[in-house]
Amino acid sequence: MEKMILSSFRAGIVAMYMDGTIAYINPIGKKILEGSPLKPGESIHDRAGENSFFRVLSESIAMNYLPTRLEVDLPGKDGERQFLGFTLSELKEGKKKIGICAFFKDLTHVEMAEENENLKQRLLLLGQMAAGLAHEIRNPIASIGVHCGILRSHISGDEKLKSSVGMISQEIGRVEYIIRECLNFVRPAELSIRTIVVDRIVEQVVQRIQAIHPGMEFRIDKPKDKRPAVEADEGLLEQAIANILINAAEACNGKGKVDITIRTARYFSDRVDLNRRIETILPASKEIEKEFVRISINDDGPGIPLEIQDRIFVPFFTTKKTGTGIGLPMAQKIVHVHGGILDLRSIPGKGTEFILKIPARQKSGG
């Protein structure tokens, strides 16, 4: 009966003896730790250097006071990043302490939900500001444009003035473009959901980018047995992938390699609420395991300097002379409105990898 209860528990459980030997791990615990599997009989001390979770488990054996609420970031399956929340307790036989027990959950869904909520709040504030600025800027810009037209009609013989007026007109067009891009970015996205075969969309986008950057080499690695599909807005998903591929091509100066890998991933969690508020979810809830499609876009460009990596998704931040700083934030927004997450890994001098993780099924899809 005890084994049956532990096996059906809705969190991962791992128990260790005082010498560090793994005594037990339940089925859901094995699934959560697929990227770093543990087996009964192994020593946690031998595995302590692999990730933060194992290190804490190893060190906890010598602790007199065990922390009750911890969160760690560790590598998951297929290079995923995984967020675990866990609590530790003593394992006793009568009054004698014989080991340590850890109860843990995959909080990756919680991290996604919190990122989505934070982005939603930022977009709301930015939208209010952008609407006011657009109104205030467009009127004087329109007036300047009218006066440029008047000047142009009166300086037909002065090439120097004509050049200056032409430059003013170009800058007016650029300001109007930035205003349109800003308003498009902050406008709420309306999704037209349908089932999309992901590799087909990726191949279409690659063909378009290849035509613009013929010096680039794109390689697509997709499952051979099953073609991953998602319920998503096709136009928006194409835009997100295109924005990232264009960014990769430009980072490589149009001459480089981009590896695109399409896979499926699963996460286990029954805490999908925001801000760590724990709410009751029925035991029969299907949310305990959710499938995502993972699209990895890895270029061999110069990488992103460490000091600016945390600003890459900030709207209007750009290191390009002609960029608006909207492409990557727009891709992030699109992924987030689908309930997914856009992650970044970059090593200066060794390239950059963007990882899109999108739920295979939307809530409305049943």
Side-chain angles (χ1 to χ4, degrees):
M1 177 61 73
E2 290 179 359
K3 186 175 182 181
M4 186 183 303
I5 293 172
L6 292 173
S7 296
S8 59
F9 202 70
R10 297 189 64 200
I13 302 174
V14 59
M16 307 170 296
Y17 293 120
M18 292 301 293
D19 64 357
T21 302
I22 303 298
Y24 174 79
I25 181 168
N26 70 340
I28 195 169
K30 292 178 181 178
K31 287 186 177 181
I32 292 174
L33 295 177
E34 278 184 324
S36 303
L38 280 177
K39 297 178 181 179
E42 286 186 292
S43 171
I44 195 64
H45 301 312
D46 295 339
R47 306 284 302 277
E50 293 184 22
N51 57 58
S52 299
F53 183 48
F54 292 172
R55 178 177 59 79
V56 173
L57 293 182
S58 176
E59 294 175 354
S60 68
I61 293 174
M63 293 181 184
N64 292 321
Y65 172 77
L66 295 175
T68 56
R69 288 179 64 86
L70 293 168
E71 292 183 15
V72 292
D73 178 359
L74 70 158
K77 190 178 179 181
D78 296 327
E80 296 281 346
R81 279 199 312 161
Q82 200 171 15
F83 298 92
L84 292 190
F86 63 100
T87 185
L88 300 172
S89 65
E90 292 183 350
L91 189 62
K92 290 187 175 183
E93 190 174 80
K95 293 184 178 181
K96 182 182 179 182
K97 178 181 175 181
I98 63 170
I100 299 294
C101 193
F103 302 86
F104 56 98
K105 290 187 177 183
D106 188 340
L107 300 183
T108 307
H109 275 179
V110 180
E111 296 294 330
M112 291 181 183
E114 287 186 347
E115 281 204 33
N116 290 344
E117 182 67 14
N118 291 336
L119 179 62
K120 188 186 301 181
Q121 294 301 321
R122 292 200 304 270
L123 288 177
L124 178 62
L125 294 174
L126 188 58
Q128 294 170 347
M129 181 183 70
L133 283 175
H135 176 74
E136 295 297 327
I137 293 173
R138 274 178 163 166
N139 288 337
I141 286 294
S143 177
I144 293 172
V146 170
H147 285 83
C148 275
I150 296 173
L151 281 172
R152 190 180 289 110
S153 65
H154 288 80
I155 56 173
S156 56
D158 193 324
E159 294 300 322
K160 188 174 182 180
L161 282 177
K162 283 176 64 178
S163 176
S164 295
V165 170
M167 186 175 295
I168 293 172
S169 296
Q170 289 179 2
E171 292 302 313
I172 289 172
R174 175 169 168 75
V175 171
E176 290 177 338
Y177 171 73
I178 292 174
I179 291 173
R180 287 195 304 272
E181 288 289 286
C182 176
L183 292 176
N184 286 336
F185 176 72
V186 300
R187 186 177 294 119
E190 295 182 2
L191 301 181
S192 177
I193 300 295
R194 68 187 192 85
T195 301
I196 300 167
V197 178
V198 175
D199 63 89
R200 179 178 63 82
I201 295 297
V202 171
E203 288 168 356
Q204 290 175 356
V205 175
V206 165
Q207 288 178 2
R208 295 203 301 269
I209 307 300
Q210 187 83 71
I212 301 171
H213 298 281
M216 292 295 298
E217 179 183 345
F218 295 94
R219 295 179 295 195
I220 301 174
D221 180 7
K222 58 186 179 181
K224 297 179 181 179
D225 53 344
K226 180 181 179 182
R227 302 178 71 185
V230 294
E231 292 177 354
D233 184 298
E234 182 170 355
L236 290 178
L237 185 57
E238 279 191 8
Q239 182 181 355
I241 296 170
N243 286 1
I244 296 171
L245 288 178
I246 290 171
N247 183 81
E250 291 177 348
C252 297
N253 293 317
K255 296 180 181 179
K257 296 179 181 179
V258 176
D259 291 317
I260 305 167
T261 305
I262 303 170
R263 292 290 186 270
T264 57
R266 306 188 79 87
Y267 298 102
F268 300 83
S269 175
D270 64 350
R271 282 179 55 190
V272 294
D273 50 301
L274 300 179
N275 302 322
R276 304 293 191 271
R277 292 193 299 272
I278 302 176
E279 297 177 359
T280 301
I281 296 180
L282 294 176
S285 169
K286 296 180 181 179
E287 290 297 315
I288 192 169
E289 183 176 2
K290 199 167 186 178
E291 182 177 299
F292 284 72
V293 172
R294 180 183 188 273
I295 307 170
S296 166
I297 299 175
N298 199 339
D299 68 60
D300 65 350
I304 301 171
L306 293 175
E307 62 271 17
I308 67 170
Q309 287 188 16
D310 60 348
R311 289 184 283 169
I312 287 300
F313 296 117
V314 174
F316 312 113
F317 172 78
T318 180
T319 58
K320 303 171 187 174
K321 292 182 179 180
T322 59
T324 61
I326 290 293
L328 292 178
M330 178 62 81
Q332 184 191 52
K333 174 187 172 182
I334 291 170
V335 173
H336 279 194
V337 297
H338 283 88
I341 190 169
L342 177 57
D343 202 1
L344 162 71
R345 298 174 188 163
S346 186
I347 301 176
K350 295 187 178 180
T352 300
E353 180 183 23
F354 287 94
I355 303 167
L356 299 84
K357 289 180 275 191
I358 303 172
R361 300 289 177 266
Q362 295 294 313
K363 289 182 180 180
S364 60

